[in-house]
Amino acid sequence: METSAPQPRLGYRAFGRKLAFVVAVLVLLTGGIIVTVNQIIGQTVYHAVKEHAAAGAMDWANRFNADFSGSGGLLRNGTLSADQMRVIDAAILVGNVYAFIVYDREGRTVYSSDFGLIDVDANAAVNTGALAVAQSGVPDLTVIQRRNPSGSVSVYVDALVPAKGPDGIVVGTIQLYLDKSDISSLYKRVHDWIGYLLPAVCAIVYAVPAAAFILMREKAFTRQEHVRKLSMYDTLTGVFNRQTMTTKCKKMFAARTPDSRIGVLFIDVDKFKGVNDLFGHEFGDAYLQHIASQLKACIGPNDYLARVGGDEFVVVCQETTDDRLEALAKDMLNAAREPFSHKGTTVQGSLSIGVRLAEPDETTTDAFHAADLALYHAKANGRNCVRTYFPALDAALTRRCAIEARLRQALEHDDFDVHYQPIVQPKDRAVCGFEALLRLNDNDGNPISPTEFIPVAEDAGLIHDLGLRTLRRAICVAKVWPDHVFLSVNLSPAQFQRGDLDNAVEAIVTELDFPSARLDLEVTETLLMGNEESVSAQLVGLKQQGISITMDDFGTGYSSLGYLWKYDFAKLTIDRVFLEGLEFAGDRYSDIIETIVTLGKKIGIQVTVEGVETAAHTEMLDQLPCDQYQGFLFGHPMPADETLTHCAREARSHSAA
């Protein structure tokens, strides 16, 4: 199952339906607006033509009256002079008037441009409209529109306007027939342009907000998708995060059948903190991305991958078997061992993997717990390996929790002890120093091995305080020893993580007024593979105080010669495993010991051989230029109150010899 591809976007169908509804509403609204606006414009055009015609008709009537008035006249005596006849002939050609009728004050026709003078008698027909205008002095206009066969529209105005004499008194009514097609055509063109522009304007007015709305919705969906992805995926590697994996696994475990088996792999990137500290966070991030891509390449389409911690990953497999889980874990180990390069820096990493094939009735929590225990077991067994859960790991976890609780109790009540093992000179077997060894008993008084409680103290973050307390107590004991007897104390790599160990040691040595030249601090190669810059600075700070620094257990790790000259060690110790190997491969192990001793002499470093327990050991070692021996042959670790007695006894023994 692809663990980093975005899921299909939700809500588009509902959004499409809403958008279609909005568009339909906008179309109807636009249509209604266009129809309404067209009606308003039509009415406006009608009234504009009517007002224009009224103004023209009144102007025409006023000019007609001015030219037509005089002594006698049509409306006064029903006769026309020669000048008035010329006025009538010219009037037809003015102001688009194609016909007119003159009514007297009683509304009877006295003259028509079509028929000329009309005899007026008491029985003549009365034009009520003309009569009303003559009586009120208010014009009356009617606009008439006719569609021509060609499709064009002619607009005429039937106007009744009052006719006034020179004294301003209404003496009759003039009915004009005006052709206003030209002015109406002008208004019609404006109307048509508005008709064309209005939909476009409406489209723009609606389209812009609609486009903005759609854009905003798209951005909102994009933000929602981004937030959804952030909530589901690890932002660095692109795989699922812890929350998503937990949710999916709960559903998966709940939906499984009695015959289905679900596999869980807990994966830890070995020594990632050292890589991150040594090469920087940018390199560390790129390295994690590389590991994630390697893991994705190994899993199947129905598997889930998640990053659940800084350097921890989880893989969950559906419908799987023990064989498939084992093969998958091996593929991951091999993929992680491939060298990784970034900006000129190359590392070869490794993984520790814990595996659990869940039982049919096992819960998600129990399966994850089992895989986590298996991972812890893999890391405890040297890392770079795969370990499958077995029930005894639960007992181991219980034991570990009990040890951690006992450690916290011992720190709180100062309830731990320090024993001291003699270190002797090969020449006369005289005691030249003691190594301080921390001891811890459980609540029943049974001893807990340092190989058990020291890793627990490191994992629980207790080793720094525990180590400094051990140093303080050991110095208090060593102050009563002879001046030539030195004190050797082991340092855990975890004590260097705070970056101020040199200052902490200096404070204790100064407070207790102990000669720093009598203090020997032992470190392992594991320390030197961590944050090299910080470790180097602290080691330099310790050496500047006059403290001797020893590389412990040389020969069991990488045994890098570069470490020996780079950090200027004063001494190295040969691990006891080489003397133990003499019993079944004597020549081989004696050659290794001889090589290390010779190397130390060549580069000016003292060599201490640990684990000297038999006369056969000393017989072989006495042939070599060793500097110091340590082992049960010369004394077991002893309580503090026995160290001074042991020194005195050994001194008397050598004096007698």
Side-chain angles (χ1 to χ4, degrees), residues 3 25 37 39 142 229 379 401 414 493 623:
T3 59
V25 171
V37 170
Q39 290 178 347
T142 302
K229 188 172 182 179
K379 295 193 307 186
C401 292
D414 202 23
Q623 307 302 316

Side-chain angles (χ1 to χ4, degrees), residues 174-464:
I174 301 174
Q175 185 173 15
L176 304 173
Y177 294 94
L178 299 91
D179 185 356
K180 290 299 179 181
S181 298
D182 54 348
I183 189 66
S184 177
S185 176
L186 175 61
Y187 286 131
K188 182 66 169 58
R189 285 195 296 272
V190 174
H191 174 270
D192 290 343
W193 273 108
I194 293 175
Y196 294 140
L197 290 175
L198 186 60
V201 171
C202 288
I204 294 174
V205 169
Y206 292 134
V208 171
F213 173 75
I214 293 173
L215 182 60
M216 290 174 61
R217 290 291 297 177
E218 178 63 21
K219 288 183 177 179
F221 274 122
T222 302
R223 288 194 298 269
Q224 290 174 1
E225 175 68 14
H226 181 63
V227 171
R228 186 190 66 83
K229 188 172 182 179
L230 286 178
S231 67
M232 290 184 62
Y233 296 91
D234 174 57
T235 55
L236 176 64
T237 61
V239 301
F240 286 140
N241 57 26
R242 177 189 293 272
Q243 181 180 357
T244 304
M245 176 62 86
T246 301
T247 301
K248 288 185 174 295
C249 285
K250 285 182 178 178
K251 293 180 179 178
M252 185 193 311
F253 273 74
R256 63 184 164 171
T257 64
D259 297 331
S260 64
R261 301 293 294 276
I262 298 175
V264 180
L265 294 87
F266 267 40
I267 304 162
D268 185 81
V269 181
D270 292 337
K271 301 178 181 178
F272 173 72
K273 186 180 185 305
V275 171
N276 210 35
D277 292 342
L278 184 59
F279 302 116
H281 292 289
E282 180 185 352
F283 185 91
D285 289 347
Y287 182 46
L288 284 177
Q289 291 171 343
H290 165 73
I291 292 295
S293 65
Q294 295 288 75
L295 296 177
K296 283 199 295 184
C298 294
I299 64 176
N302 295 321
D303 301 334
Y304 293 113
L305 169 64
R307 180 183 177 212
V308 296
D311 59 349
E312 298 176 349
F313 295 85
V314 172
V315 171
V316 178
C317 306
Q318 304 182 68
E319 303 292 341
T320 191
T321 62
D322 281 315
D323 292 340
R324 198 243 166 174
L325 290 178
E326 182 180 355
L328 177 59
K330 289 182 178 179
D331 289 343
M332 291 177 174
L333 282 184
N334 293 331
R337 289 168 182 156
E338 296 179 6
F340 168 69
S341 298
H342 179 72
K343 294 186 177 181
T345 301
T346 301
V347 297
Q348 185 170 12
S350 63
L351 303 175
S352 297
I353 303 177
V355 179
R356 171 58 172 168
L357 182 64
E359 296 295 334
D361 58 347
E362 195 166 340
T363 65
T364 306
T365 302
D366 291 340
F368 275 40
H369 172 73
D372 193 22
L373 288 179
L375 171 61
Y376 184 82
H377 185 51
K379 295 193 307 186
N381 280 267
R383 305 179 186 272
N384 192 23
C385 62
V386 179
R387 291 293 182 268
T388 301
Y389 170 82
F390 54 92
L393 291 178
D394 284 304
L397 176 62
T398 302
R399 171 68 173 172
R400 183 185 181 282
C401 292
I403 291 175
E404 181 178 340
R406 179 68 185 104
L407 279 168
R408 295 185 183 280
Q409 183 186 51
L411 278 170
E412 182 179 357
H413 301 288
D414 202 23
D415 188 18
F416 58 88
D417 202 359
V418 180
H419 284 202
Y420 304 85
Q421 185 172 25
I423 301 173
V424 303
Q425 299 177 10
K427 181 178 181 180
D428 55 8
R429 299 336 191 226
V431 175
C432 59
F434 286 92
E435 180 181 7
L437 301 171
L438 186 63
R439 294 292 183 259
L440 180 69
N441 295 332
D442 61 23
N443 292 323
D444 295 328
N446 300 313
I448 304 174
S449 171
T451 58
E452 272 195 294
F453 71 77
I454 293 297
V456 174
E458 291 175 336
D459 290 343
L462 305 175
I463 193 65
H464 185 76

